[in-house]
Amino acid sequence: MKFSSLTERISGDSVDVWDVHYRGMARMEAGEDIILLSVGQETEEQTPAPIVSAATESLHAGRHHYSAVAGIEPLRAAIARRHQWLTGQSVSAENCIVTSGAQNALFAVCQCVLEAGDEIVLSEPYYTTYPATVTASGATLVRVPVQPDDGFRIAPDRIEAAITPRTRAILLNSPNNPTGAVYTQEQFEAVVDICLANDIWLISDEVYQEILPPEDRFSPASLERAAPVCVTVSSLSKSHRMTGWRLGWAVAPLELIQHLYNLSMCMSYGLPPFIQDAAVTALEEDHVTAGVVRDAMDRRYRLLQDVLKDVPGIRIFNAQGGMFVVLDIRSLPVSGFRFADELLDRYRVAILPCDGFGPSGSGLLRISLCASEEKLVVAAERIVEYVESLREGVDKN
C-alpha cells in the first residue's frame, strides 16, 4: 500500500532517539532497578491535590461532554491573565486557544503559518520532536547551530544570516530543551527586529519559562512591537506537574487564533471540560508549585554536578534553566547512541542521546533532573562507573 510523503517527514533520528527511553520504561515497569532520566517528567511527584480535586468534582458534576472548540472562556481568560502577568503583554481570552498540550499547539501553529516551499529557522540543538512538528507542513527546517563552549547561546546575527525570501518563521525555546540555555532580552529584541524587518513569525516555546527565577524570565511577547509577529506557546505540564493532563495553549494575534480555531475544529473538536476546569484552578489558585519545581531542579543539578564535574573524559554543562543538563562525551570512544544503549543495558540508567536534537548534538547526551535526589546520585555514580570502564578500555589498547 502507498503512504503519503508525510510519513517520511515524521520519522528518522528524532523518533529513533526515544528508543532507549521506552526500553528503559518497559524494563522499569517490569520490576527492574532502572533509573529513568530520559524524560522531562517528575514521575515520583503528583499533580497538586486541589487541582486533582477540581477535576474529580467537575466530573461528578457532569462536566464530561463536548466543550467549546477554542477552550472554555474561563480558562482562556485565566490563560490571558497568567500570560499578562508573566510577560506584560496586554491580551484577552480572544487571543488564546487551548490545545492538547504545548506539542499540539506548536504543531497547529506550524500547520497554519507554513507550507511546502517555506523555511523555518531553528536554533540547534532543539527539542527532538521539532523537526517532524515543523516539516509536517512541507516546510524546510533551517538549522542555526550553537556551541557548548559558547554556553549554547544564540547569535542573532547568525539567525539573520539564515533568513531567505522563503523564510516564514523562527522558532525559539527558552529555557532551551535540551541545553537549558536562557535567552536574554537583548537577544530577543534583535530577533524580533529581524522578524519585523522580514515579515516573518516568531514562535516562542515557553513551557519551562515559569520555573525560572522571576529575575531571569524574559519573553519576546514583553516587547510591545512584537505583538503582530509573536506567538507564545506554553502549558501546565512543567509548572504544575501536569504532564499527563495534556493541557497547553497558544497566545497569538486574533487572525491566527481564528485559523487555529478552524484547525482545532477538524482535529480535536475541543478538550474535556473537567480537565479545563482543573486547569482554571491551577492557573488561578496555585502560585507555588512552579517555585517548588524550580528549587528541586536546582538542588538536583548541584548534586549531579558534584558527582560528575571532575570525571576525566566528560563535561557537564551548567543548567541555566529547564529540567535537563547536557553531558559532553565527545572525547570518549563511543557515540551518543552507543553510550545511551550501554548505560541502560549494563548500568540500568536511561538518558537520551542528543543525536536526535540535530547534527550538532552528536556526542552530547541529555540527562533529566526529574528523578529523586537519591536516585539521581545513584545514577550519576553509575555513569561514572561506565565512563571509567570506557577509559580503561582505551588505556588497555
Side-chain angles (χ1 to χ4, degrees), residues 58-84:
S58 179
L59 269 171
H60 288 302
R63 299 270 292 156
H64 46 65
H65 300 293
Y66 289 135
S67 65
V69 170
I72 61 173
E73 198 281 336
L75 176 55
R76 290 186 294 116
I79 290 168
R81 287 190 292 271
R82 179 60 65 97
H83 177 82
Q84 185 163 338

Side-chain angles (χ1 to χ4, degrees), residues 334-380:
V334 290
S335 68
F337 274 114
R338 180 183 162 193
F339 189 101
D341 281 340
E342 293 189 350
L343 184 66
L344 174 61
D345 292 342
R346 294 165 52 188
Y347 295 90
R348 305 181 307 285
V349 176
I351 63 177
L352 280 194
C354 289
D355 301 67
F357 294 71
S360 64
S362 178
L364 306 177
L365 295 110
R366 190 189 75 171
I367 303 176
S368 168
L369 296 171
C370 291
S372 69
E373 295 175 18
E374 294 78 10
K375 286 188 176 180
L376 200 64
V377 170
V378 172

Side-chain angles (χ1 to χ4, degrees), residues 28-324:
M28 184 177 69
E29 290 173 350
E32 288 191 58
D33 173 28
I34 303 294
I35 301 178
L36 211 63
L37 303 180
S38 47
V39 68
Q41 172 178 262
E42 297 177 283
T43 51
E44 295 173 63
E45 303 291 348
Q46 295 185 349
T47 302
I51 301 173
V52 176
S53 295
T56 57
E57 290 169 9
S58 179
L59 269 171
H60 288 302
R63 299 270 292 156
H64 46 65
H65 300 293
Y66 289 135
S67 65
V69 170
I72 61 173
E73 198 281 336
L75 176 55
R76 290 186 294 116
I79 290 168
R81 287 190 292 271
R82 179 60 65 97
H83 177 82
Q84 185 163 338
W85 173 68
L86 284 168
T87 70
Q89 183 185 23
S90 179
V91 295
S92 68
E94 285 67 37
N95 294 104
C96 306
I97 189 165
V98 180
T99 63
S100 180
Q103 181 67 61
N104 182 246
L106 283 169
F107 184 88
V109 169
C110 289
Q111 288 296 308
C112 289
V113 304
L114 300 171
E115 60 187 352
D118 291 344
E119 295 176 347
I120 179 169
V121 176
L122 271 72
S123 173
E124 178 198 310
Y126 40 65
Y127 180 46
T128 183
T129 64
Y130 279 2
T133 299
V134 303
T135 64
S137 63
T140 299
L141 170 62
V142 177
R143 301 173 175 89
V144 179
V146 295
Q147 300 302 320
D149 292 337
D150 293 331
F152 298 108
R153 290 186 293 270
I154 59 168
D157 59 333
R158 296 192 64 201
I159 291 175
E160 185 171 25
I163 303 297
T164 75
R166 294 188 296 174
T167 306
R168 294 293 174 266
I170 299 169
L171 170 57
L172 294 177
N173 170 214
S174 176
N176 178 268
N177 177 2
T179 69
V182 177
Y183 306 149
T184 66
Q185 178 175 345
E186 182 181 15
Q187 290 168 327
F188 273 126
E189 285 182 339
V191 173
V192 166
D193 288 341
I194 292 168
C195 291
L196 290 169
N198 292 277
D199 194 26
I200 58 179
W201 293 99
L202 173 57
I203 306 169
S204 181
D205 179 351
E206 301 183 5
V207 294
Y208 298 100
Q209 183 78 220
E210 199 169 339
I211 63 173
L212 279 175
E215 63 272 15
D216 291 340
R217 296 177 194 150
F218 190 82
S219 167
S222 301
L223 302 170
E224 186 174 355
R225 65 185 184 276
V229 298
C230 187
V231 183
T232 306
V233 169
S234 194
S235 77
L236 296 172
S237 293
K238 315 302 180 178
S239 61
H240 290 75
R241 291 173 166 163
M242 294 176 67
T243 52
W245 296 71
R246 309 316 304 135
L247 195 293
W249 59 81
V251 181
L254 293 177
E255 187 176 8
L256 177 54
I257 291 294
Q258 181 61 55
H259 296 311
L260 292 169
Y261 172 87
N262 294 341
L263 182 58
S264 293
M265 176 74 77
C266 64
M267 186 168 64
S268 62
Y269 202 71
L271 298 181
F274 63 91
I275 289 180
Q276 297 186 67
D277 291 339
V280 172
T281 296
L283 288 166
E284 296 196 334
E285 298 182 19
D286 186 340
H287 301 285
V288 300
T289 298
V292 172
V293 173
R294 176 175 62 246
D295 291 344
M297 295 301 113
D298 184 63
R299 288 195 309 273
R300 294 168 190 166
Y301 165 68
R302 295 183 189 284
L303 284 171
L304 193 68
Q305 185 187 46
D306 285 345
V307 179
L308 299 180
K309 64 181 179 181
D310 295 323
V311 178
I314 62 174
R315 290 193 296 170
I316 183 171
F317 289 96
N318 179 49
Q320 292 178 272
M323 290 182 158
F324 310 99

